[in-house]
């Protein structure tokens, strides 16, 4: 489980908006939850969607804690991406920062469905299982999330042009 | 499945400039997986609740297995001496826990004197597991029982204690852990609560109390993934106080 899903869980937690300095702790928590809840897993969904559902819950909790504590220190803020860098030649780190800047503009539900479908490439059925919602709800959230991402991209590019 | 929307990274004709942009970003970000060294570090943090699929006995996690097996054998030996003539043995921990590919180190039951060093479980890949439409089973009684025995507001209390700690209010965090213990003495988040309490005491400079509490934690939860973190906290607190 750890070898197979661990690296993806780590990346998913980042994609879901867990602050970089919290990702290791959140990762640990995910595997503690898996360890504790393994007996409750009933094979009604794939292991992957079950694990990713746990990630969504844990990420949501960490985002909430971060907001409560309000301790996003300046020194922890990520380095700004050079606005002249063409996105096609961006490094992984730069791309991650651009993606974060865009996804940070989405609410938790839209972000989760967008990340699980577009980035993690789960099927819509698996997305719905991870989010514990009907498939139709997942579809409508994805539609809304795509619109929100388009708007966020427009805002991001407009900001780049002003720099 | 074929009716699912085309993902933005797969859009070619007719993609808007926003979709092209986000598609490029997603493609560039895809390789952002943690390194093998990072995964080893994370595995070490988790300690005994993970182990390599192939049973690599002397890998990072394998050392935990050996240590746990030896510790278990030691406990068994003591228990056997103390309880000779008695029959109140409760080896409930040896029950198999599905799914089997979640690797777990279980402390050997008291009657298992000969502890084999880390038996290799048959590894089942995700693909081999049944997918969504498996026959439904009756809800496990343990689940209902755990839900019934859940302490109301426990998660909220632990989260607030954690938030207080992060907001640099160790005294407030400590007070909340006291409230947690009073309200939920057998709560499901007792380990998290103790971890917060030890960190709060360390930050308050109460290192002797932190150390005593850490020792008690380790005795009570010897295989907890928090053991390592709590040890580090106490060590850091002790070295800072001697400066």
């Amino acid at each position: 489980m750890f070898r197979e899903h661990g690296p993806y869980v780590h990346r998913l937690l980042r994609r879901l908006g867990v602050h970089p300095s919290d990702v290791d702790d959140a990762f640990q928590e995910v595997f503690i939850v898996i360890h504790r809840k393994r007996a409750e897993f009933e094979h009604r969904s794939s292991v992957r969607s079950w694990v990713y559902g746990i990630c969504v819950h844990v990420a949501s909790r960490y985002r909430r804690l971060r907001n409560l504590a309000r301790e996003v220190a300046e020194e922890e803020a990520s380095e700004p991406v050079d606005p002249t860098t063409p996105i096609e030649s961006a490094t992984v780190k730069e791309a991650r920062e651009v993606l974060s800047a865009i996804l940070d503009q989405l609410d938790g539900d839209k972000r989760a469905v967008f990340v699980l479908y577009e980035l993690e490439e789960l099927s819509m059925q698996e997305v719905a299982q991870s989010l514990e919602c009907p498939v139709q709800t997942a579809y409508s959230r994805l539609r809304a999330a795509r619109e929100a991402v388009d708007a966020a991209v427009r805002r991001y590019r407009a900001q780049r042009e002003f720099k | 499945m074929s009716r699912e929307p085309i993902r933005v990274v797969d859009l070619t004709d007719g993609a808007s400039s926003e979709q092209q942009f986000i598609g490029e970003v997603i493609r560039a970000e895809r390789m952002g997986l943690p390194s093998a060294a990072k995964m080893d570090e994370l595995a070490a943090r988790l300690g005994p609740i993970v182990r390599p699929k192939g049973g690599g006995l002397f890998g990072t996690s394998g050392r935990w297995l050996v240590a746990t097996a030896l510790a278990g054998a030691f406990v068994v030996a003591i228990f056997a001496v103390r309880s000779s003539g008695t029959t109140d043995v409760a080896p409930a921990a040896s029950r198999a826990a599905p799914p089997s590919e979640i690797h777990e180190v279980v402390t050997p039951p008291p009657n298992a004197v000969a502890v084999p060093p880390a038996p290799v479980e048959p590894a089942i890949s995700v693909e081999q597991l049944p997918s969504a439409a498996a026959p439904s089973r009756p809800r496990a009684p343990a689940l209902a029982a755990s839900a019934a025995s859940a302490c109301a507001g426990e998660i909220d209390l632990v989260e607030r204690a954690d938030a207080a700690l992060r907001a640099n209010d160790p005294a407030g965090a400590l007070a909340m852990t006291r409230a947690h213990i009073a309200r939920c003495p057998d709560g499901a988040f007792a380990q998290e609560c103790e971890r917060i309490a030890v960190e709060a005491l360390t930050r308050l400079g109460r290192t002797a109390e932190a150390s005593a509490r850490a020792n008690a934690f380790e005795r009570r939860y010897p295989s907890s993934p928090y053991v390592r973190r709590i040890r580090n906290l106490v060590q850091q607190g002790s070295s800072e106080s001697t400066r």
Side-chain angles (χ1 to χ4, degrees), chain B residues 9-241:
Chain B
V9 289
D10 298 327
L11 282 172
T12 48
D13 298 334
S16 67
S17 67
E18 289 83 6
Q19 288 169 332
Q20 285 173 14
F21 182 88
I22 196 71
E24 290 290 348
V25 172
I26 292 170
R27 272 189 282 274
E29 189 266 354
R30 264 179 178 166
M31 295 310 292
L33 289 168
S35 65
K38 179 71 186 174
M39 291 312 296
D40 282 346
E41 180 197 322
L42 292 165
R45 277 180 64 162
L46 280 161
I49 72 168
V50 296
R51 95 179 151 190
K53 204 171 186 178
L57 207 60
F58 299 100
T60 308
S61 305
R63 282 194 289 274
W64 276 95
L65 290 173
V66 175
T68 308
L70 290 174
F74 180 64
V75 170
V76 167
I78 291 173
F79 190 87
V81 170
R82 282 192 182 174
S83 65
S84 56
T86 64
T87 54
D88 55 340
V89 180
S94 61
R95 277 186 218 117
S100 60
E101 42 75 272
I102 296 174
H103 301 304
E104 179 192 13
V105 175
V106 178
T107 304
N111 56 355
V113 177
V115 182
V120 179
E121 292 175 15
I124 299 173
S125 73
V126 175
E127 289 71 27
Q128 288 174 288
L129 288 167
S131 58
S136 64
R137 300 178 207 165
R139 193 175 173 81
L143 183 58
S146 70
S149 62
C151 182
E154 184 186 9
I155 295 175
D156 183 50
L157 199 52
V158 175
E159 280 186 0
R160 282 196 288 133
D162 205 0
L165 201 58
R166 286 158 179 265
N168 208 18
D169 177 18
L174 192 60
M176 277 181 247
T177 61
R178 278 195 220 104
H180 175 270
I181 293 164
R183 197 194 293 178
C184 314
D186 298 308
F189 293 90
Q191 292 183 43
E192 286 79 1
C193 179
E194 283 302 296
R195 192 263 303 160
I196 293 166
V198 171
E199 189 165 350
L201 285 167
T202 308
R203 287 205 203 170
L204 289 167
R206 292 158 62 177
T207 51
E209 285 173 74
S211 179
R213 203 145 172 174
N215 289 338
F217 179 92
E218 212 166 323
R219 280 195 300 275
R220 189 169 176 192
Y221 308 110
S223 63
S224 168
Y226 292 126
V227 164
R228 181 180 292 252
R229 196 195 292 189
I230 283 176
R231 267 189 215 153
N232 289 342
L233 283 170
V234 172
Q235 278 169 6
Q236 281 168 13
S238 301
S239 60
E240 279 171 15
S241 66

Side-chain angles (χ1 to χ4, degrees), chain A residues 11 15 24 44 71 117, chain B residues 5 29-30 38 132 166:
Chain A
R11 187 180 61 182
R15 288 171 162 180
D24 287 0
R44 289 182 183 171
E71 62 156 25
Y117 186 73
Chain B
E29 189 266 354
R30 264 179 178 166
K38 179 71 186 174
R166 286 158 179 265

